[in-house]
Amino acid sequence: MPRNRLITNVANASPAADMVPPLCAMDAVVVIRNGDDTRRVSVNSFAKGPGRSVLEKSDLVTRIDIPRWRDGAFHHFCKLGFRDAQIIAVCSLAISIDFEGD
């Protein structure tokens, strides 16, 4: 997915955004700029409801920081129940599991 499309997908706070579940599972952070000020918000805290986010009037999402995958971690994304008329899934699931020790 092109980078600008990923940012738009998250910034719109759409409940149908495919990339939000994996980004949440991986503890990604949205970087927001307003003039010279920059703040970082967890993807988990970014959306406040369908189409509503923490963005203020002059805010701009400049990037999404995704932590490096940890050795021994398991990540999986599944998009279920495709609708005939749309590519929107009925349900999406993302999981990230860290294994420690043996």
Side-chain angles (χ1 to χ4, degrees):
M1 172 179 285
R3 186 174 18 171
N4 59 340
R5 207 165 141 215
L6 171 63
I7 290 174
T8 302
N9 202 322
V10 173
N12 285 336
S14 169
D18 288 337
M19 288 305 299
V20 172
L23 291 171
C24 286
M26 295 171 62
D27 296 325
V29 173
V30 180
V31 179
I32 302 166
R33 187 156 186 197
N34 188 333
D36 291 333
D37 297 329
T38 300
R39 70 184 196 276
R40 299 168 56 83
V41 177
S42 166
V43 171
N44 293 308
S45 302
F46 183 80
K48 295 297 181 189
R52 296 185 354 227
S53 71
V54 298
L55 293 177
E56 302 290 330
K57 193 168 189 114
S58 298
D59 285 348
L60 176 67
V61 175
T62 57
R63 72 177 188 262
I64 298 171
D65 290 342
I66 303 169
R68 289 179 91 68
W69 289 12
R70 295 165 294 280
D71 288 340
F74 171 78
H75 306 281
H76 185 71
F77 172 67
C78 186
K79 186 174 173 178
L80 306 170
F82 295 97
R83 299 176 185 168
D84 291 336
Q86 303 172 347
I87 59 170
I88 298 172
V90 173
C91 178
S92 295
L93 170 74
I95 189 169
S96 178
I97 301 172
D98 280 331
F99 296 98
E100 293 183 10
D102 295 333

